[in-house]
Amino acid sequence: GAVVSQHPSWVICKSGTSVKIECRSLDFQATTMFWYRQFPKQSLMLMATSNEGSKATYEQGVEKDKFLINHASLTLSTLTVTSAHPEDSSFYICSARRGHEQFFGPGTRLTVL
Amino acid sequence: GEDVEQSLFLSVREGDSSVINCTYTDSSSTYLYWYKQEPGAGLQLLTYIFSNMDMKQDQRLTVLLNKKDKHLSLRIADTQTGDSAIYFCAERGNTDKLIFGTGTRLQVFP
């Protein structure tokens, strides 16, 4: 299968700061990437669809001004959690679509103190 | 909206077969997927099936699809302790989005 990486794998930050998470497709180009959030012992919740060269499409209830998504190239999408608060602590996973398949990154664990 | 349901737990003995079931509601599903998630990790794509297929086999994995009943299953033959993980089914309808099930925690004991 294809490889998708995320950086960092974990991050701890203070309340009120911003955190950027990178998602890269290493061996293929992805016009469409996705950002998910996963709470402990729960399924994945789609936050937004990231489209290369255009604005992201956010799911209902996800604040686009808080979760900024940029997909500036065919291999990189970034998610910036702005003014993070403890309730933003979660496991964030990205994925990239190649044809009918969707490959996931290893996830980023964000802890906001 | 679309809904995907799975049983929460499955426990099997090493060497036996595991069958993980999934039901979905979206009649316009085009592809259905099985993913494996180990603790603290992302999701690994195991296999997927096109909605006009009934069965797909890939080494120890067999996927069965009953489109009429909207039922998907994943059979793992000769289950090993390394297969212990959470298994998610997901369906893709007319959009790019995947709708995930609740996940089934598979525990394999010796």
Side-chain angles (χ1 to χ4, degrees), chain A residues 32 34 36 38 41-44 46 49 59 91 93 97 99-107, chain B residues 31 33 35 37 40-45 48 86 88 92 96-103 105:
Chain A
T32 306
F34 303 87
Y36 294 83
Q38 186 178 34
K41 299 188 188 304
Q42 292 191 25
S43 189
L44 281 75
L46 178 64
T49 302
E59 293 300 300
F91 193 54
I93 311 177
R97 187 169 65 88
H100 304 306
E101 299 169 303
Q102 197 165 313
F103 299 97
F104 284 78
Chain B
Y31 289 88
Y33 303 80
Y35 285 88
Q37 186 179 33
L43 274 68
Q44 175 193 354
L45 176 62
Y48 67 96
I86 299 177
F88 290 97
R92 179 179 161 197
D96 277 341
K97 301 182 213 180
L98 291 187
I99 307 298
F100 281 87
T102 47
R105 183 178 296 275

Side-chain angles (χ1 to χ4, degrees), chain A residues 1 8 14 38 43-44 46 57 60 64 66 68 72 82 86 88 94 97 99-101 103 105 107-109:
Chain A
K14 291 183 178 179
Q38 186 178 34
S43 189
L44 281 75
L46 178 64
T57 305
Q60 194 171 8
K64 60 183 178 184
K66 180 166 184 63
L68 300 178
T82 63
D88 299 324
C94 72
R97 187 169 65 88
H100 304 306
E101 299 169 303
F103 299 97
T108 297
R109 182 158 303 282

Side-chain angles (χ1 to χ4, degrees), chain B residues 59-77:
Chain B
Q59 299 182 335
R60 292 192 297 125
L61 305 179
T62 303
V63 178
L64 294 179
L65 174 61
N66 182 327
K67 195 172 180 181
K68 174 175 168 289
D69 293 339
K70 298 189 183 69
H71 182 268
L72 181 75
S73 69
L74 174 69
R75 178 177 179 270
I76 306 172

Side-chain angles (χ1 to χ4, degrees), chain B residues 2-99:
Chain B
E2 303 93 349
D3 193 25
V4 182
E5 297 284 340
Q6 298 177 240
S7 52
L8 291 179
F9 298 103
L10 177 65
S11 184
V12 299
R13 190 183 300 274
E14 191 174 21
D16 287 351
S17 292
S18 308
V19 179
I20 303 171
N21 295 300
C22 172
T23 58
Y24 59 98
T25 59
D26 186 2
S27 57
S28 65
S29 289
T30 53
Y31 289 88
L32 296 115
Y33 303 80
W34 283 104
Y35 285 88
K36 175 183 179 182
Q37 186 179 33
E38 298 188 61
L43 274 68
Q44 175 193 354
L45 176 62
L46 293 176
T47 187
Y48 67 96
I49 188 168
F50 186 45
S51 60
N52 70 352
M53 297 171 63
D54 298 324
M55 185 182 88
K56 181 178 179 181
Q57 186 159 0
D58 184 1
Q59 299 182 335
R60 292 192 297 125
L61 305 179
T62 303
V63 178
L64 294 179
L65 174 61
N66 182 327
K67 195 172 180 181
K68 174 175 168 289
D69 293 339
K70 298 189 183 69
H71 182 268
L72 181 75
S73 69
L74 174 69
R75 178 177 179 270
I76 306 172
D78 187 24
T79 313
Q80 302 297 308
T81 54
D83 294 323
S84 295
I86 299 177
Y87 290 80
F88 290 97
C89 70
E91 65 96 6
R92 179 179 161 197
N94 293 326
T95 68
D96 277 341
K97 301 182 213 180
L98 291 187
I99 307 298

